Amino acid sequence: MATVSDQELFHLNDSALENHHLENDAFSDKSERDNLEESENELHENSRKTNESESDQSENHGELSQEKKGTTYLEQNYEEFGETGECSQTETVSDENKGLMWILLKQLRPGMDLSRVVLPTFILEPRSFLNKLSDYYYHADLLSQAALEEDSYCRIKQVLRWYLSGFYKKPKGIKKPYNPILGETFRCCWFHPQTNSHTFYIAEQVSHHPPVSAFHVSNRKDGFCITGSILAKSKFYGNSLSALLDGQAKLTFLSSGEEYVITMPYAHCKGILYGTMTMELGGKVTIECEKS
């Protein structure tokens, strides 16, 4: 059995302690190095995330900029207008179309709502009801003149003049526009060279059953806007049918704060089974302004 002296044991302990100290120092250096590397990695990762975030923000900003792009309007150089005078309110149905009418009438009962009935194409106008509503604002420049009137009586006369101007623009013959689908929209605008301004129109079908159309008309430069909604109804009475526009429009002059509440007439078509097919407007129409 070998013996170890105290001196050798002391040297051995010193060596062991030294090795242990070196190991601790090495471990400490390694920990610090690892911590330093982790810090550098985190800094690099954060920098990369920041760059990605800035890149994403710039991309989102670019997308938002693209979303803010305005509507592109195409100029319509030609518009078809119906005939003037009494002949514009009548139409002679051909023998071929009379046969289609008889097939349709066999499905109808007096007082029946026509919103769910498929109508023959020869009595349909090739555009949507939302487009049809824009006809009433074809002469919106008259409202620009009304906004300049200082006297309230002269102003409401100009409003009445504009209101009546919307009824002459109609298709040839007696036609019904197509029913819009839910969520359908229509936009258009008119340029007024007298005031160098634009009147913008937007309409949307907000309900399908019952069919409700909402619209907004605006000309901020000339100082007026119109907002309203229309519930379209149609009734069959045997030899005639009626199209009812239940709703109202609110015309606002921005400078004076006046609000005009306007209602619409109904359209009555008679002579479907016998006689000459004739259309006329009827009902009670009001243009009211409580302020003036």
Side-chain angles (χ1 to χ4, degrees), residues 4-290:
V4 180
S5 63
D6 293 339
Q7 187 176 2
E8 291 176 346
L9 181 61
F10 178 76
H11 287 296
L12 180 61
N13 290 339
D14 285 345
S15 178
L17 290 173
E18 184 178 0
N19 291 335
H20 180 68
H21 177 68
L22 291 176
E23 288 176 0
N24 285 341
D25 287 346
F27 180 78
S28 177
D29 293 340
K30 183 175 182 298
S31 299
E32 291 177 359
R33 186 168 61 253
D34 291 342
N35 292 335
L36 181 60
E37 290 177 357
E38 290 177 1
S39 299
E40 291 177 351
N41 290 335
E42 289 178 359
L43 181 62
H44 178 70
E45 184 70 18
N46 291 335
S47 176
R48 187 170 63 85
K49 289 181 178 179
T50 302
N51 293 334
E52 290 178 353
S53 177
E54 291 176 354
S55 176
D56 292 340
Q57 289 179 0
S58 65
E59 291 178 359
N60 293 335
H61 180 70
E63 292 176 359
L64 291 175
S65 300
Q66 293 178 358
E67 291 177 358
K68 291 180 180 179
K69 185 178 180 180
T71 303
T72 301
Y73 294 96
L74 300 178
E75 184 177 0
Q76 188 173 357
N77 296 321
Y78 172 77
E79 290 196 54
E80 182 179 356
F81 292 89
E83 299 176 351
T84 59
E86 294 183 359
C87 59
S88 65
Q89 303 298 106
T90 61
E91 182 177 3
T92 302
V93 181
S94 64
D95 294 336
E96 179 183 359
N97 291 334
K98 282 182 179 179
L100 296 176
M101 288 293 293
W102 277 111
I103 296 175
L104 172 66
L105 293 174
K106 290 178 181 179
Q107 309 174 29
L108 304 180
R109 298 292 181 271
M112 185 176 181
D113 186 3
L114 300 181
S115 61
R116 299 175 182 267
V117 178
V118 179
L119 300 176
T121 56
F122 76 91
I123 64 172
L124 293 175
E125 186 180 359
R127 59 174 179 163
S128 170
F129 179 69
L130 301 180
N131 189 344
K132 174 68 176 178
L133 287 177
S134 68
D135 290 351
Y136 297 104
Y137 310 98
Y138 191 79
H139 291 290
D141 56 317
L142 296 176
L143 292 177
S144 300
Q145 300 176 20
L148 299 176
E149 294 287 350
E150 297 182 358
D151 182 65
S152 59
Y153 178 71
C154 295
R155 194 158 45 245
I156 197 171
K157 284 200 304 182
Q158 280 293 100
V159 172
L160 178 60
R161 184 184 176 195
W162 157 77
Y163 181 80
L164 295 177
S165 70
F167 292 102
Y168 89 96
K169 189 176 184 298
K170 51 185 176 293
K172 183 178 180 180
I174 300 174
K175 304 294 181 181
K176 175 189 177 300
Y178 281 88
N179 295 328
I181 62 175
L182 181 63
E184 178 181 338
T185 60
F186 176 79
R187 298 170 182 258
C188 66
C189 70
W190 299 269
F191 174 68
H192 311 304
Q194 299 87 350
T195 57
N196 193 29
S197 66
H198 287 83
T199 297
F200 295 92
Y201 169 91
I202 180 172
E204 180 180 356
Q205 191 71 8
V206 295
S207 176
H208 189 56
H209 290 299
V212 179
S213 306
F215 57 90
H216 179 76
V217 183
S218 177
N219 188 327
R220 294 287 178 178
K221 183 177 180 180
D222 291 349
F224 67 87
C225 64
I226 304 171
T227 302
S229 61
I230 296 293
L231 169 60
K233 301 178 181 179
S234 54
K235 295 292 184 180
F236 175 69
Y237 301 107
N239 191 41
S240 63
L241 59 87
S242 294
L244 310 175
L245 301 181
D246 187 11
Q248 62 183 23
K250 181 182 292 185
L251 165 64
T252 304
F253 288 113
L254 304 181
S255 58
S256 62
E258 287 184 335
E259 292 185 350
Y260 294 80
V261 180
I262 304 169
T263 60
M264 300 292 294
Y266 68 82
H268 186 71
C269 179
K270 59 184 180 180
I272 297 177
L273 298 178
Y274 52 87
T276 303
M277 188 180 295
T278 306
M279 188 188 72
E280 58 186 11
L281 300 177
K284 181 180 179 181
V285 176
T286 59
I287 302 177
E288 298 179 344
C289 178
E290 294 184 358

